[in-house]
């Protein structure tokens, strides 16, 4: 548990800092951050605090969906917002377009890495992810339909409230999935151990099926007659 928390907490803080990189770029952000930006403009509250409050509101929607939060879910709500505020405090505002694009690219890559770190800890999904899986388990809604419908809704509302929708929003939608597909296996130790165990079991089974193969090298052609003669 301590090892998992040691991955989860930095991963969530890094997630918030990655969001701050993309916010500073000002070329468009992900749908949930667009929503938080819009609310921030209307209420005067910080984006980080609103990210926490939005996460808490989404968590309340888990109750009718019969979802149970984990420790990772609670820490997600508590830590991503402060990570955003820390990043916004530390990062300067890029003055040129190429610096803004670079800031966005750094944020997008860091977000994928952070996702791999905190999801790989296996301590519960984030509140938004749990909402999508909850809809799937409760009503049979395909996850991609639930995710698209929810994120399209929050994006539209956030845009109407004044949130930053731009080319970065499109790039995020197209790239975050493939980037996370690379990052998740890399940082998920349990998955790597399972894969290694499966490969080892397959090797043992193969050796048991053909003991001669385990003792003697096989010629690439597959001809047993081509095996070298045993030495004394």
């Amino acid at each position: 548990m301590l090892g998992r928390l040691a991955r989860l907490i930095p991963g969530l803080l890094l997630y918030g800092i990655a969001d701050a990189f993309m916010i500073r770029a000002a070329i468009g952000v992900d749908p949930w951050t667009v929503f938080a930006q819009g609310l921030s403009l209307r209420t005067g509250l910080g984006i980080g605090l609103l990210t926490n409050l939005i996460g808490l509101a989404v968590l309340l929607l888990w109750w009718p969906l019969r979802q149970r939060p984990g420790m990772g879910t609670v820490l997600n709500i508590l830590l991503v917002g402060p990570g955003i505020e820390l990043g916004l405090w530390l990062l300067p505002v890029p003055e040129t377009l190429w610096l803004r694009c670079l800031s966005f690219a750094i944020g997008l890559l860091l977000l994928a890495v952070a996702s791999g770190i905190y999801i790989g800890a296996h301590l519960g999904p984030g509140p938004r992810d749990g909402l999508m899986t909850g809809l799937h388990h409760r009503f049979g809604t395909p996850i991609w339909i639930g995710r698209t419908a929810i994120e399209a809704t929050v994006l539209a509302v956030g845009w109407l409230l004044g949130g930053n929708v731009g080319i970065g929003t499109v790039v995020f939608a197209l790239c975050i999935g493939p980037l996370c597909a690379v990052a998740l296996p890399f940082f998920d130790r349990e998955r790597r151990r399972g894969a290694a165990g499966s490969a080892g079991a397959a090797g043992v089974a193969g050796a048991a099926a053909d003991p001669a193969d385990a003792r003697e090298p096989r010629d690439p052609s597959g001809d047993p007659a081509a095996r070298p003669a045993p030495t004394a």
Side-chain angles (χ1 to χ4, degrees):
M1 178 62 72
L2 289 178
R4 293 186 179 193
L5 286 174
R7 284 180 282 159
L8 177 70
I9 293 173
L12 291 172
L13 290 173
L14 182 61
Y15 192 101
I17 292 172
D19 256 340
F21 268 98
M22 292 188 287
I23 292 169
R24 283 289 188 237
I27 59 172
V29 290
D30 66 276
W32 287 100
T33 307
V34 171
F35 185 47
Q37 281 183 321
L39 289 175
S40 178
L41 290 172
R42 300 293 178 174
T43 64
L45 298 175
I47 294 176
L49 175 59
L50 285 166
T51 298
N52 287 358
L53 295 176
I54 291 169
L56 179 60
V58 171
L59 182 61
L60 294 177
L61 296 176
W62 283 30
W63 181 71
L65 297 176
R66 300 175 184 173
Q67 290 281 92
R68 292 183 179 180
M71 184 181 297
T73 310
V74 176
L75 289 177
N76 185 298
I77 295 172
L78 295 176
L79 295 179
V80 172
I84 291 175
E85 294 297 338
L86 176 62
L88 292 176
W89 179 68
L90 290 173
L91 297 172
V93 178
E95 296 182 356
T96 61
L97 180 59
W98 77 267
L99 283 175
R100 289 161 58 191
C101 292
L102 178 62
S103 178
F104 183 88
I106 292 172
L108 186 60
L109 291 174
L110 286 178
L111 194 76
V113 170
S115 297
I117 293 172
Y118 91 78
I119 293 174
H122 294 285
L123 288 175
R128 298 157 187 82
D129 294 328
L131 177 60
M132 297 165 198
T133 57
L135 288 172
H136 171 70
H137 294 309
R138 187 76 172 86
F139 302 109
T141 306
I143 290 179
W144 73 269
I145 291 179
R147 177 165 191 155
T148 301
I150 292 169
E151 294 195 350
T153 301
V154 298
L155 177 65
V157 173
W159 177 68
L160 291 173
L161 293 174
N164 183 12
V165 178
I167 186 65
T169 309
V170 178
V171 172
F172 181 91
L174 294 176
C175 296
I176 192 59
L179 289 173
C180 284
V182 173
L184 290 176
F186 185 81
F187 290 101
D188 191 339
R189 297 178 182 176
E190 284 76 8
R191 183 179 298 180
R192 291 205 307 273
R193 287 172 186 156
S198 298
V204 171
D210 188 358
D213 284 350
R215 294 192 303 270
E216 301 179 32
R218 180 183 292 275
D219 182 80
S221 66
D223 184 3
R227 293 175 181 168
T231 58

